[in-house]
Amino acid sequence: MNAAAPEGGQRRLRAGVIGLGWAGQQHVAAYAADPAVDLVALSAMEEHLLERFGTEHDVPGRYRDWTQMIAEAELDVVSIATPTFLHEPMAIHALGAGVHVLTEKPMAQTGEAAARMVAAAQQAGRVLDVSFNHRQRGDVTALKDVVDSGVLGKLYYAKTGWIRRQGIPGLGTWFTKAESSGGGALMDIGIHMLDMALHLLGEPAVTAASASTHAEFGPLGRGGSGFGVSQVEEGAPFEVEDLATAFLRLDGGGTLLLESSWAQWIPHDLCYVTLYGADGGATIEWGGDPAHPHQEITVWTEVAGMPAELQPVVGEDGHHAAAVASFLQHVASGDAAAHDGSLALRRARVLDACYASAKAGTEVSVAH
C-alpha cells in the first residue's frame, strides 16, 4: 500500500475487494499498483487468502464478513468478485453506503436483478461498472479504431464466439448450479463476446433473440477444466447449458450470431469476432494450442479499386488492470449518472431473452 499522495496532493481513493478467487486477485493487484489508490480492505471466506494477499500488499483491513468491511473500512470504491448470485445484494448494500462499485461479469443472474442494481446506483449517485476485461484487449482496441475510421462502411452483420475444448469451470460448484450462476457458458463466457461485438458495432440495440441451449458434456461429468472425466458432486447436478447459440436482431436491420461453449469436440479453444461491412470486413481471432497460441487481426477492403488486406497495429492487452483503471476514471469524472451500469444492464436483458427463447423454442423480444 502506497503512503505518498499522488501529484497534485489530492486524497487517494480508499479501495476494497470482496472475493479473492482468480478474478478478485486481479482487482487486488490493480488497486495495489495504482498510486492514486490505497488498498485498505479485503473480504473473503478463506482465511489463507486473506492472510496471503493482505500480507503481500500490506492491507490493514481483513474481513470474513463483507458487511462489516463496508461498515468499518470507510471505502470510496469496492470491487465485487464473488459468485454471480451475490453481486446484486453486495452492490446494492455498498451503493447504499455511498461506495462506488465495480462488479465482475456477469452483472447479475437476471436482467431484473441488474435493473435493481442500476436503480440503486442512480438513487445513491454513485458509479456502478461491470468488469468486461476482454474489451481491453489490444486487438479489440485496434479493430474499434478501424471501425471508427469508416474503412468498413456500414456494418450489417457480425459473428462472434468463444468455444472451449474442455473448460467447464468447477463441475458441481456454483458455476454449474442455476440458482447461483444464472446460466452456463452463455452467462460465463458468451457475455464477453456479446460485449465485445456490440462495442465494436457501435452499441446497436438488440431487439430480438432466437437461441438454443444444450447440455451434452456436463451432465455426464465430462468437459471439466481438469483432465479426463470429472466426478459430479453428489447432490449438485449440472443444471445449466454447456453450449448456447443465438441469432440476434439489431436495431437498424443488422444481425449478430453468438455462440459460446464450455466443452466441444474441437482441437483447441477458439475466440473470434468477425465484422461484415458494406466497404470491408474484419476479424480478430485468438486461441489454439496453449503451447503455441495464435492471435490474428485482419481487415479486408479495397484501395484504389484493388482488393487489399490490412494488418492494423495492435497494442498491449489491458486485462483487468485496464478495467479497474476505467472504473476509477469514471469515479474521478464525477459524472456518476453516465456510468450507472445501464450498458451492462442491456447485456443482461439480451441474455434473459436468449434463455427465454431457448426455453420457448421461438424468437423472443428483448426488454428495454
Side-chain angles (χ1 to χ4, degrees), residues 3 34 80 85 99 103 123 132 141 157 184 216 239 268 340 364:
D34 193 319
I80 298 172
F85 73 100
V99 182
T103 78
Q123 182 175 359
F132 289 117
T141 299
Y157 178 48
E216 301 295 336
E239 299 174 334
H268 303 290
D340 61 3
V364 170

Side-chain angles (χ1 to χ4, degrees), residues 309-332:
E309 183 174 302
L310 311 180
Q311 294 290 326
V313 176
V314 176
E316 294 185 359
D317 293 340
H319 303 295
H320 277 82
V324 170
S326 176
F327 165 60
L328 294 175
Q329 289 170 3
H330 295 163
V331 171

Side-chain angles (χ1 to χ4, degrees), residues 107-108 110-116 191 194 206 209 342-356 364-368:
M107 185 176 187
T110 66
E112 289 306 310
R116 290 190 289 268
I191 187 68
L194 175 67
V206 181
S342 291
L343 183 143
L345 169 57
R346 294 198 293 271
R347 308 292 194 252
R349 297 291 197 194
V350 173
L351 295 197
D352 277 356
C354 287
Y355 284 121
V364 170
S365 295
V366 177
H368 294 289

Side-chain angles (χ1 to χ4, degrees), residues 143 147 151-160 197 200-201 250 253-257 272-284 298-300:
L143 185 50
V147 171
V151 168
L152 304 183
K154 176 186 175 182
L155 298 175
Y156 59 92
Y157 178 48
K159 298 188 295 185
T160 187
L200 290 167
L201 289 168
L250 308 179
T255 53
L256 169 62
L257 296 187
Y272 66 92
V273 183
T274 302
L275 307 178
Y276 298 83
D279 299 321
T283 191
I284 53 176
T298 307
V299 176
W300 298 274

Side-chain angles (χ1 to χ4, degrees), residues 6-337:
E7 187 177 350
Q10 294 183 342
R11 183 180 72 83
R12 293 191 300 263
L13 295 173
R14 293 173 60 85
V17 176
I18 307 175
L20 293 176
W22 180 85
Q25 294 168 26
Q26 310 313 304
H27 290 254
V28 167
Y31 288 127
D34 193 319
V37 173
D38 279 339
L39 180 59
V40 299
L42 304 175
S43 177
M45 297 298 295
E46 303 89 351
E47 289 280 6
H48 69 286
L49 294 178
L50 283 173
E51 174 67 20
R52 173 185 169 187
F53 292 100
T55 300
E56 181 177 333
H57 297 290
D58 191 23
V59 183
R62 307 173 193 180
Y63 300 87
R64 290 286 301 278
D65 184 343
W66 62 271
T67 61
Q68 184 183 2
M69 183 182 85
I70 297 297
E72 297 179 0
E74 299 180 346
L75 300 176
D76 298 300
V77 299
V78 67
S79 281
I80 298 172
T82 59
T84 306
F85 73 100
L86 294 173
H87 291 182
E88 179 196 358
M90 288 180 170
I92 290 176
H93 184 92
L95 290 163
V99 182
H100 301 281
V101 172
L102 173 63
T103 78
E104 264 300 311
K105 63 79 211 168
M107 185 176 187
Q109 298 158 285
T110 66
E112 289 306 310
R116 290 190 289 268
M117 293 165 68
V118 170
Q122 293 170 341
Q123 182 175 359
R126 292 295 184 268
V127 170
L128 171 61
D129 271 355
V130 176
S131 177
F132 289 117
N133 56 295
H134 279 280
R135 76 152 60 189
Q136 308 293 340
R137 293 178 56 89
D139 48 11
V140 174
T141 299
L143 185 50
K144 187 66 167 68
D145 289 341
V146 170
V147 171
D148 291 346
S149 75
V151 168
L152 304 183
K154 176 186 175 182
L155 298 175
Y156 59 92
Y157 178 48
K159 298 188 295 185
T160 187
W162 185 336
I163 312 169
R164 289 177 177 168
R165 169 66 175 83
Q166 186 169 310
I168 299 177
L171 271 169
T173 70
W174 69 268
F175 274 104
T176 60
K177 299 174 184 177
E179 185 176 355
S180 53
S181 66
L186 179 62
M187 183 74 73
D188 179 41
I189 56 179
I191 187 68
H192 275 305
M193 309 314 293
L194 175 67
D195 176 70
M196 278 185 280
L198 293 177
H199 171 63
L200 290 167
L201 289 168
E203 296 298 338
V206 181
T207 60
S210 182
S212 180
T213 59
H214 305 269
E216 301 295 336
F217 288 77
L220 300 178
R222 306 173 73 177
S225 52
F227 293 101
V229 177
S230 301
Q231 180 65 45
V232 178
E233 294 180 10
E234 184 177 356
F238 190 91
E239 299 174 334
V240 296
E241 83 284 355
D242 49 40
L243 182 146
T245 181
F247 174 92
L248 305 177
R249 297 188 186 276
L250 308 179
D251 187 39
T255 53
L256 169 62
L257 296 187
L258 169 66
E259 62 175 345
S260 54
S261 180
W262 274 338
Q264 199 53 254
W265 294 117
I266 56 174
H268 303 290
D269 292 7
L270 175 67
C271 299
Y272 66 92
V273 183
T274 302
L275 307 178
Y276 298 83
D279 299 321
T283 191
I284 53 176
E285 179 181 305
W286 66 95
D289 185 344
H292 305 283
H294 73 274
Q295 178 177 325
E296 301 174 7
I297 176 170
T298 307
V299 176
W300 298 274
T301 186
E302 189 176 78
V303 176
M306 299 181 64
E309 183 174 302
L310 311 180
Q311 294 290 326
V313 176
V314 176
E316 294 185 359
D317 293 340
H319 303 295
H320 277 82
V324 170
S326 176
F327 165 60
L328 294 175
Q329 289 170 3
H330 295 163
V331 171
S333 74
D335 188 6

